[in-house]
């Protein structure tokens, strides 16, 4: 055991007793966590209200509005709860997030594109077409 851990006089004077993480990541305050919580609650309650009261006549419009609220809520969670910004870990966290988002967008858009073309190219034959088959 090292000597500086045995002496109570060393606590708080350059020893290893401070509660910061080694990576220097910022931790939120009570106020920032409460701000994030209130924003997340509001961003959850509004889409719920939109659906329950049938505010928009078309379900497609409702779905797009809910997706927009979901995207804003993701940003709120990233900022207030995950504490990710361009400064954390010299920007590597943000770069990893952007890379992940690019991969997810490519995967989802490619999957939707493939499913659309499979649906349009593999439609079942009509009974008239089946009678013509040998």
């Amino acid at each position: 055991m090292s000597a500086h851990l045995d002496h109570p006089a060393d606590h708080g004077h350059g020893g290893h007793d401070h509660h910061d993480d080694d990576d220097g990541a910022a931790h939120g305050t009570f106020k920032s966590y409460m701000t994030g919580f209130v924003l997340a609650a509001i961003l959850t309650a509004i889409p719920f209200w939109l659906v329950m009261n049938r505010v928009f006549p078309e379900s497609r419009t409702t779905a797009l509005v809910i997706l927009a609220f979901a995207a804003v809520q993701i940003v709120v969670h990233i900022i207030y709860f995950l504490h990710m910004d361009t400064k954390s870990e010299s920007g590597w966290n943000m770069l990893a997030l952007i890379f992940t988002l690019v991969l997810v967008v490519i995967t989802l858009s490619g999957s939707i594109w493939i499913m659309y073309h499979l649906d349009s190219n593999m439609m079942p034959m009509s009974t008239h077409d089946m009678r013509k088959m040998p």
Side-chain angles (χ1 to χ4, degrees):
M1 188 173 246
S2 65
H4 74 278
L5 292 177
D6 294 334
H7 299 294
D10 286 342
H11 293 299
H13 297 291
H16 294 282
D17 294 331
H18 61 299
H19 297 287
D20 294 336
D21 286 340
D22 293 335
D23 61 357
H27 294 285
T29 62
F30 180 76
K31 181 180 176 184
S32 71
Y33 279 119
M34 286 308 294
T35 302
F37 175 74
V38 168
L39 286 173
I42 290 170
L43 292 170
T44 301
I46 291 173
F48 185 77
W49 174 79
L50 290 173
V51 171
M52 294 305 290
N53 292 323
R54 301 180 192 265
V55 174
F56 299 110
E58 288 189 35
S59 61
R60 179 175 286 187
T61 306
T62 305
L64 289 174
V65 170
I66 289 173
L67 284 174
F69 274 100
V72 172
Q73 192 168 64
I74 288 170
V75 172
V76 166
H77 282 265
I78 286 172
I79 292 171
Y80 288 100
F81 299 124
L82 296 177
H83 310 294
M84 288 183 65
D85 57 8
T86 56
K87 298 174 199 145
S88 64
E89 293 190 23
S90 301
W92 286 107
N93 280 343
M94 191 60 66
L95 186 64
L97 176 69
I98 292 169
F99 179 71
T100 302
L101 290 175
V102 167
L103 288 180
V104 166
V105 166
I106 290 171
T107 303
L108 287 177
S109 60
S111 298
I112 291 170
W113 181 63
I114 288 170
M115 287 187 280
Y116 172 77
H117 285 286
L118 282 175
D119 182 52
S120 64
N121 291 329
M122 299 185 75
M123 292 294 293
M125 289 189 212
S126 66
T127 54
H128 177 69
D129 293 334
M130 289 186 71
R131 287 186 189 139
K132 291 183 176 179
M133 290 186 71

